[in-house]
Amino acid sequence: MIELLLVALALGLVNFAAAVGIGVAGVDSRTRWQVRVVFGLFETGMPIAGLAIGRSLSGTLGSASRWIGAGLLIATGIHALWQTRQSSEERHDGPESRQPLGKLLVTGLALSIDNLAVGFSLGAYRVGLAAAAAIIGGVSVALTLAGLELGGRIGPVTGRRGELLGGLVLIGAGIAVATGAL
């Protein structure tokens, strides 16, 4: 059980970093709810999907999952920077802005690809799938909310640069995933 908690914590730290990036740009209560649901569903569902798909793909996807997740996070961060650049004069809804649901879905997918590989390996351990998914999902949601809160506190200090900082944090999280730091 200790190993499962450590795995959940390691997986959740990536969500924490991404949530800080999202929170810096400012989130309203609807976006906060969407982030919680999207990240929670992906983080809980991917280990289940990994176990369902089976070990036949674990070697192939297992080694590539870090690169896929890192690439998607970096692409999401670059997209955020591009949007910030494109709309810096046109759009700024104040500190409480909304994240597009499509962007949240891509971010949730990017953050949970490593959970798919974890699901492949769950079959080798005597850990109940429901318990593993609940622990991984619960830790992930808790760290996501903590990241949103921290990002929300940093955002007002950064002002209009919050969205830029958020994109850079997503890119940094992607680089950290690629290098194995997260």
Side-chain angles (χ1 to χ4, degrees):
M1 189 58 89
I2 299 292
E3 293 88 1
L4 181 59
L5 285 172
L6 291 174
V7 167
L9 183 61
L11 294 171
L13 285 175
V14 179
N15 284 38
F16 175 79
V20 169
I22 292 169
V24 164
V27 293
D28 58 13
S29 61
R30 179 179 177 190
T31 302
R32 184 178 302 274
W33 180 252
Q34 286 177 334
V35 170
R36 180 184 312 148
V37 169
V38 168
F39 284 18
L41 286 175
F42 273 112
E43 293 294 313
T44 304
M46 286 299 231
I48 295 170
L51 192 59
I53 292 171
R55 291 185 165 178
S56 62
L57 295 177
S58 66
T60 304
L61 187 59
S63 62
S65 65
R66 180 175 73 176
W67 299 108
I68 294 168
L72 286 171
L73 281 172
I74 291 169
T76 303
I78 290 170
H79 178 64
L81 293 177
W82 179 257
Q83 279 188 323
T84 300
R85 183 177 184 274
Q86 290 290 333
S87 60
S88 61
E89 288 122 25
E90 300 168 10
R91 176 187 59 87
H92 187 73
D93 303 327
E96 299 289 320
S97 61
R98 293 215 171 141
Q99 297 288 321
L101 183 58
K103 181 179 173 184
L104 287 177
L105 289 171
V106 169
T107 303
L109 176 64
L111 294 170
S112 66
I113 288 177
D114 54 348
N115 292 33
L116 188 64
V118 167
F120 292 140
S121 65
L122 284 178
Y125 299 100
R126 295 188 186 272
V127 176
L129 180 61
I135 290 170
I136 291 170
V139 169
S140 174
V141 168
L143 288 173
T144 297
L145 292 175
L148 284 172
E149 200 57 41
L150 177 61
R153 292 175 190 254
I154 294 170
V157 174
T158 62
R160 289 185 162 265
R161 294 186 196 119
E163 292 179 11
L164 176 67
L165 181 60
L168 292 173
V169 168
L170 286 172
I171 291 170
I175 291 170
V177 168
T179 62
L182 281 179

